[in-house]
C-alpha cells in the first residue's frame, strides 16, 4: 500500500517514470486491487507521452533552421505537464539555451541582411528592438554600427543633394543622386530627381550644341536665343550668363564687321576688306557671309595685283601699244581701288614716260 501511495503521488506530481517503479512493486504484491492497475496503466501512458514528446523536441531542435521559440514553448509546456520529471526539466534548460543562442544568431543575420540590402534605417531600428528584447552581442553591435554609419553617410548625401538643388548646381545634384542610389537603390526621391536632372542636362547640352553651331555660322542672334533658353533651364549658371552677355555684344560687333567689309569692297579698299573678312572667319569659321566677303576681297585683290603687275611690265617700254596697255591696266586697278597709292604712283610714272616720248 505504501508503494501504491508513493507511486500515485509521483504520478500526480508529474514524474511517470518514478511512479511506474512504485506502482509495479505494488502491483506485484496486490495485483489490480484498489485501482493499482488503472494507475499503472495511466503512468505507463504518461511515460510514453513524455518520452515521445521529448524525442520530438530533440529532433526539432536539430532539424529547425529558423528560430526555436515554438520548440522551446513546446518544451516548456511538456515541463509544466511533467513538472517533477528531471529529464524533461534538463531538456527544457537545453532547449531554452539553444533557443536563446539561435535568437541571437538570427538577430545578427537579419540585421546584416538589411545592411546588405542597403535598408540601413530598418537595420538600425531592428537592432534597437533586439536590444530592448535583451539581445545584445558584439556581433549585433557591430552590425548596428555598420548600419548607423551607412545611414549617416546617406543622410549626408541627402543634405548635399538638398543644398545642390537649392543652389541650382545641376551636375552636383546628378552626382549626389547617383551616390545615394549606389547606397540605396530603392530611394524613390533620388531616382526621380536623377531622372529629372539628367533630362534637363540633356536639353541644356542639346541647346548648347545648337547655339555653338549657330555661332560658328555667324548666326549670333540664333545662338543668343538658344543660350537664353539654356539660361532659363539653368538660371544659376554663371558661365551661361557670361556667354549670353558676350553674345549680346557680339551681335552688334558682327554687324559692324560685315558692314565694314562691304564698305571696304565698295570703296575699293582691298586690304581692309580682306582684313575684315578674315576677322569674321577667325571668329565664325562656318560663316557663309564671311566666306563670300573673303572670296570677293580675294578676287578683287588678285585682279588688282594682276593689273598692277601688267602695268609695271609695260610702263618702262617705248611704243604706243605699251602705253595703252599700262593705261588700260591702271584703269582696271583704279576701278577696283581708286585711292590705292600704287595706282597714283604708276600714273605719275606713266605721265612722265609720255612726256619723254613726246
Amino acid at each position: 500500500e505504501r508503494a501504491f501511495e508513493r507511486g500515485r503521488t509521483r504520478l500526480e506530481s508529474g514524474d511517470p517514470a518514478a511512479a511506474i517503479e512504485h506502482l509495479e512493486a505494488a502491483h506485484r504484491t496486490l495485483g489490480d486491487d484498489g485501482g493499482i492497475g488503472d494507475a499503472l496503466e495511466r503512468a505507463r501512458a504518461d511515460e510514453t507521452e513524455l518520452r515521445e514528446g521529448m524525442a520530438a523536441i530533440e529532433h526539432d531542435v536539430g532539424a529547425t533552421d529558423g528560430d526555436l521559440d515554438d520548440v522551446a514553448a513546446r518544451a516548456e509546456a511538456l515541463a509544466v505537464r511533467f513538472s517533477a520529471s528531471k529529464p524533461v526539466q534538463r531538456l527544457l534548460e537545453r532547449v531554452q539555451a539553444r533557443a536563446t543562442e539561435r535568437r541571437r544568431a538570427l538577430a545578427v543575420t537579419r540585421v546584416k541582411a538589411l545592411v546588405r540590402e542597403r535598408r540601413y534605417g530598418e537595420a538600425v531600428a531592428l537592432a534597437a528592438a533586439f536590444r530592448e528584447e535583451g539581445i545584445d552581442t558584439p556581433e549585433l553591435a557591430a552590425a548596428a554600427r555598420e548600419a548607423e554609419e551607412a545611414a549617416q553617410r546617406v543622410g549626408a548625401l541627402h543634405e548635399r543633394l538638398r543644398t545642390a538643388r537649392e543652389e541650382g548646381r545641376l551636375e552636383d545634384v546628378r552626382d549626389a543622386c547617383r551616390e545615394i542610389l549606389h547606397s540605396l537603390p530603392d530611394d524613390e526621391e533620388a531616382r526621380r530627381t536623377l531622372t529629372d536632372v539628367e533630362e534637363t542636362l540633356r536639353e541644356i547640352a542639346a541647346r548648347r550644341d545648337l547655339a555653338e553651331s549657330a555661332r560658328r555660322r555667324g548666326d549670333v542672334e540664333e545662338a543668343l536665343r538658344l543660350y537664353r533658353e539654356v539660361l532659363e533651364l539653368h538660371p544659376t549658371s554663371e558661365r551661361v550668363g557670361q556667354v549670353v552677355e558676350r553674345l549680346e555684344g557680339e551681335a552688334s560687333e558682327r554687324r559692324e564687321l560685315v558692314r565694314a567689309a562691304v564698305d571696304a569692297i565698295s570703296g575699293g579698299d582691298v586690304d581692309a576688306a580682306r582684313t575684315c573678312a578674315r576677322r569674321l572667319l577667325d571668329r565664325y569659321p562656318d560663316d557663309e557671309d564671311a566666306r563670300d566677303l573673303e572670296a570677293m576681297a580675294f578676287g578683287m585683290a588678285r585682279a588688282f595685283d594682276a593689273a598692277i603687275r601688267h602695268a609695271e611690265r609695260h610702263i618702262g617700254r617705248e611704243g604706243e601699244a605699251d602705253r595703252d596697255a599700262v593705261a588700260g591696266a591702271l584703269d582696271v586697278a583704279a576701278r577696283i581701288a581708286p585711292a590705292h597709292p600704287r595706282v597714283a604712283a604708276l600714273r605719275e610714272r606713266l605721265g612722265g614716260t609720255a612726256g619723254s616720248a613726246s
Side-chain angles (χ1 to χ4, degrees):
E1 289 180 0
R2 284 195 299 273
F4 175 44
E5 187 63 29
R6 284 195 295 270
R8 190 167 56 184
T9 300
R10 295 289 189 276
L11 182 62
E12 294 301 329
S13 66
D15 189 359
I20 289 173
E21 181 181 351
H22 293 294
L23 291 172
E24 283 181 342
H27 186 266
R28 285 194 297 271
T29 303
L30 301 175
D32 291 335
D33 291 346
I36 293 175
D38 292 340
L40 182 58
E41 183 179 352
R42 177 187 163 195
R44 286 171 175 165
D46 285 356
E47 196 277 334
T48 299
E49 178 186 348
L50 175 59
R51 187 177 62 254
E52 291 177 351
M54 290 177 64
I57 289 170
E58 292 278 13
H59 173 270
D60 292 345
V61 167
T64 303
D65 293 329
D67 65 66
L68 295 173
D69 291 347
D70 290 342
V71 180
R74 285 163 49 205
E76 186 174 359
L78 196 64
V80 171
R81 171 85 169 80
F82 302 103
S83 58
S85 172
K86 292 182 179 179
V88 77
Q89 298 304 323
R90 289 194 295 269
L91 174 65
L92 175 61
E93 291 176 2
R94 291 198 307 273
V95 172
Q96 286 178 333
R98 291 287 299 277
T100 299
E101 181 183 345
R102 183 70 59 84
R103 197 178 302 115
R104 289 172 177 169
L106 289 175
V108 174
T109 299
R110 289 177 60 187
V111 172
K112 285 185 175 180
L114 290 174
V115 172
R116 283 196 302 273
E117 294 170 7
R118 300 170 184 172
R119 296 158 61 183
Y120 305 120
E122 295 177 49
V124 171
L126 184 61
F130 283 138
R131 283 195 295 270
E132 290 179 0
E133 294 175 9
I135 302 174
D136 194 3
T137 66
E139 294 81 3
L140 180 62
R145 278 196 305 274
E146 183 180 355
E148 289 168 357
E149 290 170 1
Q152 290 172 358
R153 286 197 303 272
V154 173
L157 285 172
H158 272 289
E159 179 62 22
R160 191 175 119 199
L161 170 60
R162 184 190 63 78
T163 303
R165 290 178 68 175
E166 289 178 354
E167 296 177 358
R169 293 181 280 109
L170 301 184
E171 291 83 359
D172 290 343
V173 170
R174 177 196 59 201
D175 295 343
C177 286
R178 287 175 176 173
E179 290 188 45
I180 290 171
L181 289 171
H182 177 74
S183 298
L184 293 176
D186 297 328
D187 191 309
E188 288 300 324
E189 179 188 0
R191 187 175 302 281
R192 184 171 57 253
T193 302
L194 178 61
T195 299
D196 293 342
V197 77
E198 285 183 335
E199 178 62 27
T200 300
L201 287 172
R202 281 194 292 270
E203 291 182 14
I204 288 174
R207 283 171 170 77
R208 183 178 288 146
D209 290 343
L210 290 173
E212 286 302 312
S213 178
R215 184 182 178 280
R216 287 176 63 85
R217 296 194 310 270
D219 193 349
V220 181
E221 286 79 5
E222 176 65 7
L224 181 58
R225 182 187 70 80
L226 288 165
Y227 265 113
R228 281 172 175 162
E229 290 183 2
V230 171
L231 195 59
E232 289 178 3
L233 291 169
H234 196 182
T236 60
S237 173
E238 293 184 5
R239 178 181 175 278
V240 176
Q242 291 169 356
V243 171
V244 168
E245 185 177 348
R246 187 177 70 247
L247 287 175
E248 288 173 344
E250 275 191 27
S252 59
E253 288 177 12
R254 181 184 177 278
R255 286 193 296 270
E256 290 175 2
L257 274 175
V258 170
R259 186 180 302 111
V262 171
D263 290 346
I265 290 171
S266 300
D269 191 344
V270 176
D271 294 335
R274 293 180 69 177
T275 299
C276 290
R278 177 45 53 190
R279 287 178 61 190
L280 282 169
L281 283 174
D282 288 342
R283 184 175 289 185
Y284 313 110
D286 300 327
D287 190 335
E288 294 294 338
D289 289 342
R291 287 176 179 173
D292 291 341
L293 289 169
E294 185 188 45
M296 286 188 284
F298 185 73
M300 290 172 60
R302 289 189 63 183
F304 178 82
D305 290 342
I308 293 297
R309 285 196 305 271
H310 186 75
E312 287 177 338
R313 273 197 307 272
H314 290 274
I315 198 166
R317 300 176 183 176
E318 297 294 336
E320 186 176 347
D322 290 313
R323 287 194 298 275
D324 290 342
V326 173
L330 289 177
D331 286 343
V332 171
R335 283 196 295 272
I336 295 171
H340 201 285
R342 293 179 68 186
V343 175
L346 287 171
R347 277 184 168 162
E348 183 177 349
R349 286 180 61 190
L350 179 63
T353 302
S356 298
S358 61

